[in-house]
Every structure is written in C-alpha cells, then in structure tokens.
C-alpha cells in the first residue's frame, strides 16, 4: 500500500479554491462540500487540528447579486465578497455542522499577518478555537481591503496563515494534482513532479502563469505560497480537489506534489524573533525567573524586577538577568503601561490590576528565544 500523504502532520491548514466550491453558474457545489466535510471529520477524529482557508465569497456573491454575466469592477467585486461571504460561511457551518463540528469565521487583511500585535491576537483566537474543538474558516476581508493592502489570492494568504499558526502542513486543493515541468494543458510532454526539495528558479519557471476560470492564482502564486511556507518550516502539498473526497484521496496516497520545508519551525521562529534589530524595551528578571526561563517556562510578571522602554503588546523586548546581561528575547504579551502595573505581582492578582480576561504571561514561552541556547526553548503552539 502507498503511504498516507497526511500521516506525518498534526496541524494542517487546508486551502480551498473558488473553482472547487462554486460551479460555473455560481452555485455552491453542496455534495462536494459535504464529502470534504466528511474527510475533515475523519482527520479531526484522528487528532488533527484543522484550519480552513476558503475562497468563494466573490464567486458566490456575484450570482447572489445578479452580477454573473459581467466583468466585475473593483467596487462590484467588493460588494460581491460582502454578500458572498455570508453564504460561504453558512455553507461551511452547515456542512461541518452535519459532522457535529462547530466553525468560527475569521476575515484577514495583510496587516494582521504582518504586524505583530494583530498577529498575536489572530493567532491566539485561532488557537483558542482549535482548543475548543472548533474549525476556523478563514478568508481575506475582501469587502474592505484596498488594492494596496490585499493579498488578492488565497494561496499566499493561506501560507501566511499556516506559518502564523505553525501548521506543519499546508494543503492547497486545486484543479490540478500538483506541479508539472510545464503547464500540461499546453505541453503534452509535461511530467508531474512528486517532491520539490527546494524552490529553485527552475521550479519557479515551471510554474508558468496559467489560472483557472475562477481562481486568481494559477501555479505561480502556489509556488510563492510554497516559498512562504517552506521557509517557515511548514510543508506544502498541492493536490487535486475537484473530485469527491479529495482529502480521503490524499490519505489513500493520491497523486500530489510535496514541497519539503527548508528549515524547522523552531528555527524559523527563532530567526524571526532574533531578527529584530532594535528591541523596544527590556525586562530585568530575578534569579527565580531566570531559572524558570531556562526550564522552558513562560515569563510571569512576578519574576520581573525592572522595565525599561515603551512598548506595545507584540513588540520584541530584551530579557536580562539580575546583572543586566541579555539572556533572551521575546514578543511581549502586555504593553509597557500594563507591564509596569503588574511587574512583581502574583498572577492571581493581575485581573484586579489590568482587568480580568487579560493575559497573565509577560512573555509566553512560545514567543521566547533563549540566547545561546539550543532548540529546547521552543515549543509547539497551543
Ligand atoms: N478571497 C477571494 C474570495 O473569497 C478569493 C481569492 C482567491 O481565489 O484566491 O472570493
């Protein structure tokens, strides 16, 4: 028997293109979606965290608004996205609801995945939904995004989402079963590539520029997505999604292209946090907190003795030992005003000081890199 392509992965982001969800007349492909929901339920049953990035808002919205026949202006496609997103979310809620799975909707604009403050909030919301057994359904916030701040295609958006939540695999369900040496529709000698170890200029050249009747992407944005994912330690799979039960097909080792990660997720996170040139402030610790950090624990307010600088939640701060030597860096969980209020205090008093419902860690262990230490400072998210 051939191998299950999804077996190695625990947290999987699945990107569904418009052309799979919506037929050429603008109608939802309900039976197909029901089959996919069954596949997702099987994966979830097997202990996987699943996050869906779904296109289809514009494709559904244009038929709902009676715009099917026309080439859409920007305003019209934003209106279509607005009407269609409701239908799209409902379709997911219904299909996964039939599998007794709850869904949550998250609409994303690029600043959410680029700016650390938003990034941390979006990541926490997704992790919380997953922890509650729900499946987040994500799309770009097309009805408000402007041309300059749009991803424009869900291939790259899904790669950002996958890396943000440290998924170990991103699956792009497409109308083609992977990457070919040339676009197979144009070149009959084109051959399928099962594994891409590294995205070289030769691989990029193979991607060409073709797009299907609905998707914005084509193979070029899929390879772009592959770069984002693999550089962050997330594997990417391109597989054909048009037939019924596309994920079951992958589990049963259907044809696909696997893009292998070029680094580990822990290294990538470390690079990202350590890549900050200027830290926004510093937190000085007592000896007990230093020990806790060395054991891979989060930094709690009680262990902080001194704070310098002004910072926002999500900024990078330096973390020093009692002598002022920098021992770690991390993304801070509180802004500097709140941090000053709670430093030195026990975690159970923090709700009284900065409001119940606020986070009690100064720096969560997932957002912390020990300087000079090996990978043990890094943990899986969630
Ligand atoms: N976000 C768009 C939509 O939901 C689709 C973008 C894409 O097809 O990549 O309609």
């Amino acid at each position: 028997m051939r191998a299950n392509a999804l077996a190695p992965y625990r947290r999987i982001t699945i990107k569904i293109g418009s052309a799979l969800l919506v037929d050429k007349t603008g109608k939802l492909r309900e039976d197909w979606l029901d089959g996919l929901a069954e596949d997702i339920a099987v994966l979830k049953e097997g202990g996987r965290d699943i996050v869906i990035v779904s296109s289809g808002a514009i494709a559904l919205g244009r038929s709902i608004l009676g715009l099917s026949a026309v080439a859409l202006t920007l305003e019209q496609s934003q209106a279509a996205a607005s009407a269609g997103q409701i239908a799209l979310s409902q379709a997911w809620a219904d299909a996964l609801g039939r599998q007794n799975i709850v869904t949550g909707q998250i609409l994303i604009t690029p600043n959410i995945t680029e700016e650390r403050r938003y990034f941390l909030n979006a990541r926490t919301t997704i992790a919380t939904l997953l922890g509650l057994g729900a499946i987040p359904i994500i799309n770009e916030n097309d009805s408000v995004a402007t041309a300059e701040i749009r991803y424009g295609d869900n291939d790259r958006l899904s790669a950002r989402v996958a890396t943000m939540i440290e998924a170990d695999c991103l699956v792009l369900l497409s109308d083609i079963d992977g990457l070919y040496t040339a676009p197979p529709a144009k070149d009959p000698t084109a051959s399928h590539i099962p594994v891409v170890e590294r995205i070289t200029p030769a691989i990029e050249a193979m991607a060409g520029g073709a797009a299907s009747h609905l998707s914005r992407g084509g193979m070029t944005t899929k390879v772009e997505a592959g770069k984002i994912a693999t550089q962050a330690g997330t594997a990417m799979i391109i597989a054909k999604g048009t037939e019924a039960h596309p994920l079951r097909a992958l589990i049963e080792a259907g044809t696909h292209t696997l893009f292998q990660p070029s680094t580990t997720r822990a290294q990538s996170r470390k690079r990202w946090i350590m890549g900050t040139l200027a830290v926004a402030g510093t937190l000085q610790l007592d000896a007990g907190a230093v020990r806790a950090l060395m054991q891979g624990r989060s930094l709690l307010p009680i262990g902080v003795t001194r704070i310098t600088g002004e910072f926002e939640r999500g900024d990078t701060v330096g973390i020093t030992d009692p002598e002022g030597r920098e021992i770690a860096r991390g993304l801070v969980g509180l802004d500097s005003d709140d941090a000053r209020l709670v430093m030195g205090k026990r975690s159970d008093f923090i709700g009284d000081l900065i409001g119940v419902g606020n986070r009690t860690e100064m720096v969560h262990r997932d957002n912390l890199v020990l300087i000079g230490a090996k990978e043990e400072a890094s943990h899986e998210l969630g």
Side-chain angles (χ1 to χ4, degrees):
M1 209 182 84
R2 288 184 299 172
N4 167 0
L6 299 178
Y9 310 116
R10 215 200 122 247
R11 177 166 286 188
I12 305 174
T13 301
I14 302 165
K15 183 258 171 178
I16 324 282
S18 302
L20 304 181
L21 266 167
V22 184
D23 69 16
K24 289 200 168 93
T25 68
K27 277 205 19 242
L28 181 74
R29 294 178 67 214
E30 261 175 78
D31 291 344
W32 178 86
L33 182 56
D34 276 334
L36 181 73
E38 283 171 27
D39 294 358
I40 290 170
V42 169
L43 285 171
K44 202 162 170 296
E45 207 45 39
R48 269 41 171 262
D49 286 342
I50 305 289
V51 173
I52 305 287
V53 175
S54 177
S55 307
I58 296 174
L60 284 174
R62 61 188 292 157
S63 66
I64 293 169
L65 291 174
L67 294 165
S68 318
V70 295
L72 300 187
T73 62
L74 178 64
E75 292 79 6
Q76 286 170 328
S77 46
Q78 296 199 293
S82 164
Q85 184 62 39
I86 297 177
L88 181 63
S89 291
Q90 192 60 52
W92 278 106
D94 290 346
L96 286 170
R98 283 189 276 277
Q99 306 299 322
N100 297 316
I101 297 171
V102 175
T103 49
Q105 173 187 271
I106 299 179
L107 299 180
I108 288 211
T109 41
N111 63 336
I112 292 176
T113 54
E114 308 305 330
E115 276 179 46
R116 290 177 186 193
R117 240 176 335 142
Y118 294 111
F119 176 99
L120 290 182
N121 274 336
R123 198 173 82 157
T124 306
T125 306
I126 293 170
T128 306
L129 282 168
L130 291 172
L132 293 168
I135 293 194
I137 311 290
I138 298 175
N139 195 2
E140 182 156 12
N141 195 349
D142 291 312
S143 49
V144 298
T146 65
E148 309 83 68
I149 58 146
R150 277 191 95 209
Y151 283 106
D153 67 86
N154 278 6
D155 293 327
R156 283 174 300 171
L157 170 70
S158 63
R160 290 277 176 223
V161 167
T163 59
M164 176 168 80
I165 61 166
E166 298 193 22
D168 39 20
C169 183
L170 166 65
V171 178
L172 301 181
L173 289 182
S174 166
D175 51 7
I176 186 163
D177 57 4
L179 181 67
Y180 282 74
T181 49
K186 289 193 211 138
D187 183 347
T189 66
S191 62
H192 180 264
I193 302 173
V195 180
V196 173
E197 277 168 26
R198 214 159 53 84
I199 300 175
T200 58
I203 293 289
E204 290 180 69
M206 289 172 194
S212 73
H213 71 287
L214 286 175
S215 87
R216 293 164 176 277
M219 208 35 90
T220 312
T221 55
K222 290 184 177 45
V223 171
E224 285 296 321
K227 279 202 226 165
I228 296 168
T230 57
Q231 283 170 13
T234 300
M236 185 176 90
I237 287 175
I238 301 177
K240 189 168 171 140
T242 42
E243 308 306 318
H245 294 288
L247 296 172
R248 186 199 288 168
L250 264 182
I251 292 169
E252 291 169 357
T255 317
H256 63 275
T257 298
L258 168 67
F259 292 74
Q260 285 176 336
S262 56
T263 178
T264 66
R265 292 192 304 289
Q267 275 162 351
S268 145
R269 183 193 313 131
K270 189 166 174 175
R271 219 178 24 239
W272 189 55
I273 294 174
M274 295 308 287
T276 313
L277 291 178
V279 296
T282 60
L283 311 175
Q284 187 162 327
L285 311 191
D286 63 21
V290 171
R291 270 198 305 280
L293 246 57
M294 296 300 171
Q295 288 162 8
R297 301 225 290 271
S298 294
L299 174 59
L300 301 179
I302 191 161
V304 178
T305 55
R306 193 166 161 255
I307 294 178
T308 66
E310 301 299 320
F311 44 83
E312 297 287 336
R313 175 172 140 73
D315 281 345
T316 304
V317 292
I319 297 167
T320 72
D321 66 9
E323 284 74 47
R325 285 183 299 248
E326 192 176 34
I327 55 162
R329 275 189 189 184
L331 307 182
V332 69
L334 300 169
D335 66 34
S336 43
D337 290 344
D338 282 350
R340 286 193 168 92
L341 270 177
V342 301
M343 67 182 238
K345 303 282 192 315
R346 278 198 3 226
S347 296
D348 38 347
F349 297 139
I350 285 171
D352 296 342
L353 293 167
I354 58 170
V356 181
N358 274 298
R359 291 165 188 82
T360 52
E361 292 106 7
M362 200 71 107
V363 181
H364 191 273
R365 61 182 192 168
D366 287 335
N367 301 323
L368 223 140
V369 177
L370 297 183
I371 293 171
K374 297 193 292 290
E375 297 308 325
E376 64 261 21
S378 303
H379 297 265
E380 296 299 310
L381 168 73

